[in-house]
Amino acid sequence: MGTVVEAANKEAPGSALAQKNPKIVFVLGGPGSGKGTQCAKIVEHFGYTHLSAGDLLRAETKSGSENGTMIQNMINDGKIVPSEVTIKLLERAILENENDKFLIDGFPRNEENRAAFEAVTNVEPEFVLFFDCPEEEMEKRLLGRNQGREDDNIDTIRKRFKVFLESSLPVIEYYDSKGKVRKIDAAKPAEEVFETVKALFTPVSDKAAA
């Protein structure tokens, strides 16, 4: 059961990920802030690969692998999956992909995730894209969308907001202190939000030419 974590701990000094030296952007924002919509647009316009930590964990549990069974058991027991496990899945997805530009969506979820990612991979993000959206607006969007998600009820939504604020804001503050946070006003319509996002991803030389 400890194989993934052990492997992660052994690789730290000059990890394969550090050797690949990918351009990584962490994408953070509360539930309903529009992260998914904007990530899809960034992928389409700028050729990034979009990785969701949650999707990778779900895919691994469905794969029937030893790792997947361990993750499922931990979730069933109400335990938090160790950071190293999620990081190994992210690392594998990046190394197996020929692209060198990645959006990592919904990760790091907390300071422990962040510290573990940098320790295990020896890689820091290029920057952090933070979709800042008022709670009332996110609430309205989540209640208005009809995706059949059981967790889109008012009590659960408010709990998710609370968890996001308590766990993710310290990550944002840490990267902000290093000048790496790009804060986006995500309360605007999606097209307007993307105009702001686009400016962050357009190379300086292209802006000059325009």
Side-chain angles (χ1 to χ4, degrees), residues 26 38-39 43 52 76 85 92 107 121 129 139 145 148 164 169 171 195:
F26 287 149
Q38 297 301 324
C39 282
V43 167
S52 157
N76 292 346
V85 173
R92 187 173 74 192
F107 183 93
T121 64
L129 195 56
E139 199 172 285
R145 73 182 185 189
F164 171 73
L169 281 184
V171 176
E195 285 305 310

Side-chain angles (χ1 to χ4, degrees), residues 15-159:
S15 78
L17 201 63
Q19 286 165 29
K20 179 170 179 171
N21 195 24
K23 181 175 183 175
I24 289 173
V25 175
F26 287 149
V27 183
L28 296 174
S33 60
K35 289 197 312 305
T37 302
Q38 297 301 324
C39 282
K41 289 176 181 289
I42 296 165
V43 167
E44 186 187 337
H45 285 80
F46 297 103
Y48 276 70
T49 295
H50 179 204
L51 297 176
S52 157
D55 287 350
L56 288 173
L57 283 166
R58 282 187 283 276
E60 190 69 15
T61 59
K62 286 178 186 164
S63 72
S65 70
E66 189 185 338
N67 229 2
T69 307
M70 178 198 75
I71 294 165
Q72 191 60 60
N73 289 341
M74 294 192 78
I75 292 168
N76 292 346
D77 291 342
K79 293 176 182 167
I80 294 169
V81 178
S83 295
E84 285 85 353
V85 173
T86 307
I87 291 161
K88 291 310 288 180
L89 293 175
L90 286 167
E91 192 171 36
R92 187 173 74 192
I94 292 169
L95 291 172
E96 287 174 356
N97 194 303
E98 288 180 8
N99 201 353
D100 63 350
K101 300 187 294 187
F102 297 88
L103 300 172
I104 298 185
D105 179 3
F107 183 93
R109 284 185 180 274
N110 53 41
E111 263 293 281
E112 196 265 332
N113 275 177
R114 178 204 64 74
F117 183 87
E118 291 185 10
V120 169
T121 64
N122 221 16
V123 171
E124 281 194 27
E126 195 89 358
F127 61 88
V128 176
L129 195 56
F130 172 38
F131 290 101
D132 189 26
C133 194
E135 199 169 307
E136 310 79 64
E137 177 62 25
M138 292 193 283
E139 199 172 285
K140 194 168 79 179
R141 290 176 184 178
L142 291 173
L143 291 170
R145 73 182 185 189
N146 187 16
Q147 296 183 345
R149 282 183 58 160
E150 292 170 21
D151 54 356
D152 282 355
N153 66 65
I154 197 76
D155 290 338
T156 314
I157 285 168
R158 286 181 178 159
K159 278 181 197 152

